[in-house]
Amino acid sequence: MQRINIGEFEELVLLVVAILHDNAYGISVMEEIERQTHRKINISAVHSALDRLEGKGFLNSSVGGATKARGGRRKRYFKITVAGQKSLDYIKAQRNSLHDQIPKLSLEYVSI
Amino acid sequence: MSPFDHEPPQWALKFLRFYCKPRALEIIEGDAYELFYKRIENEGLKTARKRFSWDVLKFFRLRYIKGLEDIETLNNIIMVKNYIKISFRSLVKQRFYSLINIGGLAIGLAACLLIAMYVSHELSYDKYHDGADRIYRLNGNSPARLAIQSKTDIPEIEETLRIQGPFDQTFKVGDKVFKETNGFNADSTFHKIFTVDFIEGNPEEALTEPNAMVLSQTLANKLFGYESAVGKTIQVDGENTLVTGVVADPPQNTHWKYNFINSYPKESWVLVGNWTANNFKTYAKIEKGSEPEVVQEKLKELAAEYQGPLIAKYSGHASYEDYLASGGRERNFGMIPMTAIHLEYPDFSFGSGGDINNVYVFSAIAIFILIIACINFMNLSTARSAMRSKEVGMRKVLGSRRRQLINQFLVESMMVSLFSMVLALGLSALLLNGFNLLANRTFNFQDLFDGVVLLQLFGLVLIVGLLAGSYPAFVLSNFKPVKALKGDATQGGKGSAILRKGLVAFQFAISIFLIVSTTVVFQQLKFLSNQKLGFDASQVMVVKNANSLDQKRETFKTRLAQFPSVENVSMSNSYISGGMSDWTYQTMEDNPRSYGFINLFVTDTYLETMGLNLTEGRNFTNQLVTDTANVLINEAAKRWLGGDKVIGQKLTRGDGEDYTVIGVVNDFNFESLKRDVEPMILRMMGKDGRLEEDWYSANYISIRISDNYLETVGRVEDLWKETVSDEPFEYIFLDESFNALYENEQRFGKLFSASSGLAIIIACLGLFALAAFTLERRYKEIAVRKVLGASVKSITLMILKSFTQLVVLGAIVAIPVGYMVMQDWLQEFAYQISLNNPLIWVIPALFVAIIAWLTVSFQSVRTATANPIKALRSE
């Protein structure tokens, strides 16, 4: 199986873009991550991750309309591509399969 | 008020617009604005503005900076990568040349690195003391009262200090006995002149009381095993002494390296003392901003005031002015900057072993070796790159710009010099121990890999790389592509061939010069050791510390004389080669003349023990009590006195007593042969070592041994231990001690042989590669010659001839320079070899020529014997 070239933060961003469906742009992604994971992140990190994911072909982007809330600037909406979805599926499957292999004993042991 | 009425910080916005790529700018700005408005509502305007700026700053990433997508820039990075790759390939392809290039340069750089470390260490001596530039030593030796008197009389003098030493003393802690060296006496102000790091004890009070001492940390640890030493008592030469301080060991780069410092026994030592007896080393620190010249002038007045009357009295003049008017030497306390003592006044430096000449010689050698290595590097780079004219032509045809070609060659030479640097670091680490022996220093890896030294080396490497690479880079990049491709340019031009040959001849010149110097130094040393000294130094053993025998001196001596292998025993107050002091005596003529005669007190058997001969008169005898007022003189003293009849002539010390000359001893060298035999006076001490009433001075016992040296030394040692149990047994052999006087010269000789060896190795490496290269290019020519009937012998000779010319040229340059430099060096010696011996000059030149022939002949024979068809068929 070929290795999926994706980092932890990128994976998070990719998931959030998928969740947000057609309202995924820089700030919405950042806020969603902050809301769900309580991580403090900077907008520039999100942008950079989005750009990288686009470069890897996991995201598509299109430019949307300008609003007053943005001082008259347009936003760039991101959409997950088929390749992106496939890699998310693959990562999930792999994680699940690894989780399932943890012996019960050790789980209990850890939970103490 | 709506949040949209506010504006984010303009500078941040401007900055964003300045750096950001146009494609991403609008989106980033939009997000930043949106966050800004939101934050105004949630967190207030101030925070929002702050965070807006922060966001913008965080967007300053490689990804968003405009200009980086610029094709030109990216291409440059790729080109640099390409340069490195091509350089590497061409180095690997011509392994042989590259190895010689890198190896030769590495040897040169390693030598330079070591020497740079040495030189910077030597130059750093005593610079670390607070206000080091205001501290002066007043003369080499000065009177006891100078320190306190000058401080009182001259307001510009801030502080003074007196030091005496070095001494060896015997320490007794509990029942353990230690013999400690490098001890000094010093005033309590020593920490105000020298910067001293007190670990224990109060610096202000450390040396204020008599019988107090300060120990270095190493010594304190040795004596008291890492316990606190302050407050403990040591028996120093039998006297109870209180340890009042422990100081950090003095650093390597000070001329005053002490193990322990004693306080002065009595306060009166400051206030009494003869103004003409120079027994102290006096240091003075002058006030900030005061002129040394002014202080110097005041010191001269001080000398006139206190020394003047005494000198006038001793010399028999009515006043000091009279004395000066009749041509007497004006007295002064010369101010010697402390930072200059180590290098420029080695005699005043307590044996710190510095010499400004060493610094010059070492630096010159470093430069020589580096020049030789650089010449190799340049020669080979030029020669090799000429082979690459086709590559250059091809590159040009394919659109390479001139600058890119220059870069290509520069990168290549930089790579070679960087590789050499890495190799040089390893080499110098390996050679460090050997270098320490040569330089008489104790450097460790930390000194070697010191940041500043490394930075200097790196700078040097860059310069070397740039210099060596620039010639091929600029010449080759100038080629016309068509010519280069046709191969016309491969001849490299007549100019560059002459340059190459000149450089090789220059290398030979340096090598020959160094070998000539080595030969002269060793010849001179051999000459000195074969010189007749006037006494018989072999088989004489000198036992030190004889003063500790005290009352048992005579019994010790008598028992020694009973050993069958002991021929003769005598005592003296100092020993030959150990340094003797001069005492001023005056003639008792109508116009008295005075001179500082070397003064030695001996027992009556001394002449016999040392193998000295009387040329006139008689020896001392213990039977005559009056002989303590009689003296022997040497022939030099006789010459000074003048006249044929010296026996019976009288001398005086100006203290009312006079001494009659009863005999003349042959001249003998009691110091190194750098100095001529000086006028000397031998005076008698009693057989019990007594000079006068309570004055014993038999410090050394000289023993002439006939055979069984080892056994005899053992027996003498046993006898010593039996007689004095708490004093270590120390002895020397006179001939060894005499030879040790030339230690510096011997080191000099070794330095020269090591460096000439290095120079030869590097030069030969270069020659070897150059010969290989030249022959490769003349391959076809030689083949044609062979086809037309030239013999192997004639071809080999032809090739050797062209290289021999270079050696001859080098010799012509080197020999006159060597003659002058060595002539100068020999001036130091009173006894010199003659430089007009042609062998000194011919043999080194021949030696270099033979090495050059050996280097070249292998290749020339191989080329000459090769089958000409192979060379001719290849086209």
Side-chain angles (χ1 to χ4, degrees):
Chain A
M1 201 85 198
Q2 126 193 40
R3 192 169 161 269
I4 307 270
N5 183 14
I6 193 167
E8 187 263 351
F9 187 68
E10 284 175 357
E11 187 188 338
L12 197 62
V13 171
L14 192 59
L15 280 167
V16 171
V17 171
I19 294 168
L20 291 172
H21 191 52
D22 52 3
N23 184 33
Y25 70 103
I27 290 182
S28 66
V29 171
M30 180 184 81
E31 284 175 347
E32 190 65 20
I33 293 176
E34 281 182 351
R35 199 173 63 78
Q36 299 231 16
T37 66
H38 307 290
R39 281 203 210 183
K40 274 276 166 210
I41 48 176
N42 189 282
I43 182 70
S44 62
V46 177
H47 270 248
S48 159
L50 286 169
D51 286 344
R52 277 203 301 275
L53 287 168
E54 191 182 4
K56 287 173 186 174
F58 296 147
L59 291 177
N60 264 337
S61 74
S62 55
V63 177
T67 58
K68 196 181 177 199
R70 297 175 59 81
R73 275 101 177 161
R74 294 175 297 176
K75 41 174 100 148
R76 184 177 291 274
Y77 286 109
F78 290 89
K79 241 193 156 76
I80 190 159
T81 61
V82 179
Q85 268 164 3
K86 274 197 176 151
S87 53
L88 279 183
D89 290 344
Y90 171 72
I91 291 167
K92 190 183 172 197
Q94 203 176 42
R95 296 272 154 89
N96 282 346
S97 114
L98 287 173
H99 270 276
D100 294 344
Q101 289 168 45
I102 302 175
K104 277 279 165 328
L105 182 71
S106 95
L107 262 182
E108 281 163 15
Y109 192 71
V110 166
S111 67
I112 289 171
Chain B
M1 196 165 147
S2 148
F4 303 123
D5 297 337
H6 296 289
E7 269 298 310
Q10 286 306 304
W11 69 266
L13 208 58
K14 272 189 193 146
F15 177 60
L16 180 70
R17 285 179 185 157
F18 166 72
Y19 73 75
C20 193
K21 283 179 190 172
R23 196 184 79 93
L25 180 63
E26 190 183 349
I27 314 296
I28 291 175
E29 253 185 58
D31 276 6
Y33 264 95
E34 196 178 329
L35 279 173
F36 175 67
Y37 294 138
K38 277 187 184 168
R39 283 177 186 148
I40 290 178
E41 298 199 328
N42 301 335
E43 300 163 43
L45 179 62
K46 220 173 156 190
T47 332
R49 284 176 69 98
K50 242 188 230 162
R51 295 190 63 177
F52 180 88
S53 313
W54 180 237
D55 281 343
V56 166
L57 284 181
K58 291 276 278 188
F59 267 107
F60 189 74
R61 302 174 172 216
L62 228 48
R63 174 178 294 274
Y64 298 114
I65 294 170
K66 105 176 117 187
L68 285 189
E69 72 274 39
D70 193 317
I71 286 168
E72 185 65 34
T73 325
L74 286 178
N75 206 17
N76 271 346
I77 293 171
I78 292 170
M79 276 314 284
V80 171
K81 276 190 193 162
N82 178 265
Y83 295 150
I84 293 174
K85 188 184 272 176
I86 298 288
S87 308
F88 193 71
R89 281 181 189 164
S90 90
L91 288 181
V92 172
K93 194 176 166 199
Q94 297 183 299
R95 263 177 231 116
F96 169 66
Y97 298 108
S98 311
L99 272 182
I100 286 182
N101 229 343
I102 294 174
L105 194 59
I107 295 175
L109 284 175
C112 270
L113 175 62
L114 289 171
I115 289 175
M117 173 182 74
Y118 169 79
V119 169
S120 66
H121 173 79
E122 289 299 288
L123 296 179
S124 75
Y125 265 70
D126 291 313
K127 301 242 162 89
Y128 71 93
H129 298 295
D130 287 336
D133 53 334
R134 292 186 283 128
I135 305 175
Y136 295 87
R137 169 91 161 258
L138 306 181
N139 278 359
N141 294 302
S142 40
R145 291 159 73 183
L146 173 65
I148 197 74
Q149 200 70 53
S150 60
K151 195 179 161 189
T152 326
D153 290 6
I154 303 174
E156 284 91 344
I157 291 183
E158 183 182 300
E159 195 54 82
T160 54
L161 161 71
R162 299 171 309 159
I163 299 178
Q164 280 176 302
F167 308 115
D168 298 350
Q169 284 177 321
T170 311
F171 284 22
K172 207 167 166 191
V173 179
D175 46 3
K176 273 192 252 169
V177 177
F178 305 87
K179 184 82 188 173
E180 292 307 331
T181 56
N182 266 342
F184 291 83
N185 293 342
D187 282 324
S188 59
T189 51
F190 79 103
H191 64 282
K192 292 180 183 161
I193 302 276
F194 289 87
T195 299
V196 177
D197 186 9
F198 264 80
I199 293 168
E200 279 186 86
N202 180 354
E204 296 298 325
E205 290 168 6
L207 294 182
T208 45
E209 297 292 319
N211 287 333
M213 74 186 317
V214 168
L215 303 177
S216 76
Q217 194 175 17
T218 311
L219 182 57
N221 288 344
K222 177 180 159 192
L223 297 178
F224 299 105
Y226 299 93
E227 284 172 31
S228 169
V230 166
K232 297 220 164 90
T233 309
I234 304 174
Q235 273 202 355
V236 181
D237 288 348
E239 264 194 79
N240 278 334
T241 308
L242 185 70
V243 178
T244 50
V246 175
V247 294
D249 293 349
Q252 282 294 318
N253 54 353
T254 176
H255 75 279
W256 189 33
K257 290 194 190 73
Y258 46 82
N259 286 334
F260 57 93
I261 307 171
N262 300 302
S263 63
Y264 274 112
K266 291 185 192 81
E267 198 52 32
S268 64
W269 280 55
V270 181
L271 302 170
V272 298
N274 189 322
W275 271 100
T276 55
N278 299 323
N279 314 321
F280 290 77
K281 281 71 168 150
T282 307
Y283 291 81
K285 192 175 192 175
I286 63 172
E287 297 272 359
K288 224 177 233 166
S290 53
E291 296 290 326
E293 293 78 19
V294 177
V295 181
Q296 184 69 80
E297 206 47 46
K298 291 189 177 175
L299 281 168
K300 196 153 91 182
E301 287 162 22
L302 197 88
E305 186 180 344
Y306 295 98
Q307 287 192 325
L310 292 168
I311 286 162
K313 191 178 117 197
Y314 292 152
S315 62
H317 289 86
S319 67
Y320 185 49
E321 284 74 26
D322 273 4
Y323 165 79
L324 291 181
S326 65
R329 185 169 62 83
E330 186 171 30
R331 300 304 151 113
N332 197 350
F333 300 109
M335 292 165 72
I336 298 156
M338 185 171 73
T339 47
I341 291 177
H342 171 67
L343 286 178
E344 287 165 47
Y345 300 87
D347 292 345
F348 300 166
S349 70
F350 307 119
S352 69
D355 188 348
I356 191 78
N357 287 329
N358 275 349
V359 172
Y360 290 145
V361 169
F362 267 91
S363 314
I365 282 175
I367 291 171
F368 280 160
I369 290 181
L370 193 67
I371 287 178
I372 294 187
C374 285
I375 287 177
N376 264 352
F377 187 17
M378 265 173 84
N379 260 349
L380 283 180
S381 309
T382 322
R384 247 162 17 102
S385 48
M387 297 284 282
R388 292 168 62 185
S389 63
K390 276 203 177 121
E391 180 194 331
V392 171
M394 185 58 87
R395 278 171 183 273
K396 280 203 157 181
V397 167
L398 291 177
S400 168
R401 292 185 208 157
R402 181 155 183 240
R403 238 191 67 196
Q404 290 172 325
L405 280 170
I406 291 176
N407 287 345
Q408 170 71 55
F409 285 108
L410 285 184
V411 165
E412 216 171 298
S413 67
M414 286 290 172
M415 269 176 75
V416 171
S417 51
L418 282 177
F419 282 142
S420 325
M421 185 180 93
V422 175
L423 206 60
L425 286 176
L427 264 179
S428 51
L430 280 178
L431 295 174
L432 193 60
N433 280 336
F435 181 76
N436 276 338
L437 281 182
L438 271 184
N440 194 23
R441 289 283 177 271
T442 49
F443 293 114
N444 52 28
F445 289 140
Q446 254 159 19
D447 300 314
L448 182 62
F449 297 120
D450 170 68
V452 180
V453 176
L454 286 190
L455 215 64
Q456 285 168 341
L457 180 74
F458 190 68
L460 189 69
V461 162
L462 289 186
I463 294 172
V464 166
L466 208 66
L467 281 182
S470 54
Y471 180 76
F474 289 100
V475 171
L476 282 173
S477 58
N478 234 353
F479 283 166
K480 296 269 174 301
V482 178
K483 267 193 168 176
L485 279 177
K486 263 166 65 186
D488 286 359
T490 44
Q491 294 312 311
K494 245 200 144 59
S496 77
I498 287 175
L499 179 73
R500 271 207 297 279
K501 283 187 174 167
L503 290 176
V504 171
F506 187 58
Q507 284 184 320
F508 282 134
I510 294 180
S511 306
I512 292 172
F513 168 72
L514 287 173
I515 293 179
V516 162
S517 311
T518 315
T519 320
V520 172
V521 170
F522 279 117
Q523 286 288 330
Q524 171 72 12
L525 287 177
K526 199 175 144 205
F527 172 76
L528 290 183
S529 65
N530 289 341
Q531 193 70 13
K532 290 247 180 319
L533 297 173
F535 70 99
D536 188 4
S538 60
Q539 308 175 354
V540 176
M541 167 186 177
V542 178
V543 177
K544 295 184 174 181
N545 306 324
N547 45 348
S548 57
L549 286 167
D550 216 20
Q551 303 299 326
K552 300 173 195 152
R553 240 184 231 111
E554 254 192 292
T555 28
F556 185 76
K557 227 180 87 178
T558 324
R559 289 185 63 184
L560 267 183
Q562 283 161 1
F563 291 163
S565 52
V566 168
E567 279 187 8
N568 210 304
V569 182
S570 60
M571 299 192 283
S572 56
N573 71 323
S574 49
Y575 63 101
I576 290 173
S577 79
M580 297 177 190
S581 50
D582 50 311
W583 287 28
T584 305
Y585 288 87
Q586 210 173 304
T587 58
M588 299 181 73
E589 299 160 323
D590 294 338
N591 286 318
R593 299 177 293 150
S594 62
Y595 189 82
F597 291 89
I598 302 293
N599 192 83
L600 184 67
F601 288 98
V602 297
T603 52
D604 57 343
T605 45
Y606 194 75
L607 299 191
E608 213 178 317
T609 313
M610 290 298 154
L612 296 170
N613 297 317
L614 277 174
T615 54
E616 272 176 63
R618 64 168 180 90
N619 192 1
F620 302 122
T621 160
N622 281 325
Q623 267 69 51
L624 283 175
V625 190
T626 47
D627 261 4
T628 47
N630 292 338
V631 295
L632 297 175
I633 59 173
N634 67 355
E635 285 170 307
K638 183 184 167 186
R639 281 193 295 277
W640 184 85
L641 285 170
D644 297 329
K645 274 199 59 115
V646 284
I647 304 288
Q649 209 167 328
K650 289 190 176 198
L651 294 165
T652 175
R653 292 255 306 143
D655 50 6
E657 288 186 46
D658 51 271
Y659 303 93
T660 314
V661 176
I662 55 164
V664 180
V665 181
N666 66 307
D667 275 345
F668 63 100
N669 293 92
F670 44 86
E671 291 171 311
S672 100
L673 293 174
K674 283 185 181 176
R675 290 168 75 173
D676 243 324
V677 178
E678 285 165 67
M680 179 182 207
I681 285 180
L682 297 169
R683 282 174 61 179
M684 193 180 93
M685 62 166 79
K687 60 181 174 181
D688 52 355
R690 185 190 300 230
L691 294 181
E692 280 166 26
E693 195 48 30
D694 259 338
W695 185 11
Y696 291 89
S697 185
N699 301 329
Y700 300 94
I701 298 181
S702 308
I703 308 166
R704 175 166 291 280
I705 302 171
S706 52
D707 53 11
N708 293 338
Y709 305 113
L710 276 180
E711 199 195 307
T712 312
V713 170
R715 292 181 67 174
V716 174
E717 181 167 7
D718 290 342
L719 180 60
W720 176 273
K721 283 194 173 144
E722 205 179 299
T723 320
V724 265
S725 51
D726 55 354
E727 186 77 14
F729 176 65
E730 276 187 82
Y731 71 97
I732 49 140
F733 274 109
L734 208 51
D735 47 355
E736 284 172 13
S737 154
F738 207 86
N739 283 335
L741 295 176
Y742 305 118
E743 211 179 339
N744 222 0
E745 279 69 29
Q746 266 150 1
R747 213 170 22 244
F748 222 61
K750 277 186 209 146
L751 171 70
F752 268 114
S753 39
S755 52
S756 49
L758 268 186
I760 290 263
I761 289 174
I762 303 177
C764 281
L765 277 180
L767 185 65
F768 188 69
L770 200 69
F773 168 78
T774 322
L775 290 178
E776 216 167 274
R777 294 230 314 235
R778 292 175 70 180
Y779 203 36
K780 232 172 247 177
E781 176 207 322
I782 289 166
V784 172
R785 279 174 190 272
K786 266 190 103 171
V787 169
L788 294 180
S791 68
V792 171
K793 192 177 136 202
S794 68
I795 290 176
T796 313
L797 283 180
M798 176 192 78
I799 300 166
L800 286 184
K801 205 180 108 195
S802 63
F803 284 102
T804 312
Q805 282 171 347
L806 300 180
V807 177
V808 171
L809 204 65
I812 290 173
V813 176
I815 287 175
V817 177
Y819 188 89
M820 284 191 300
V821 172
M822 283 296 115
Q823 187 80 13
D824 197 43
W825 181 72
L826 282 177
Q827 292 307 317
E828 267 186 54
F829 296 90
Y831 302 83
Q832 316 172 349
I833 52 166
S834 158
L835 284 181
N836 296 328
N837 180 359
L839 284 184
I840 296 179
W841 310 99
V842 173
I843 288 175
L846 253 175
F847 177 68
V848 171
I850 287 170
I851 288 186
W853 285 331
L854 286 178
T855 313
V856 178
S857 60
F858 166 69
Q859 287 165 340
S860 30
V861 169
R862 200 183 56 177
T863 319
T865 50
N867 190 345
I869 292 172
K870 274 188 188 156
L872 293 175
R873 203 171 46 186
S874 66
E875 204 148 294

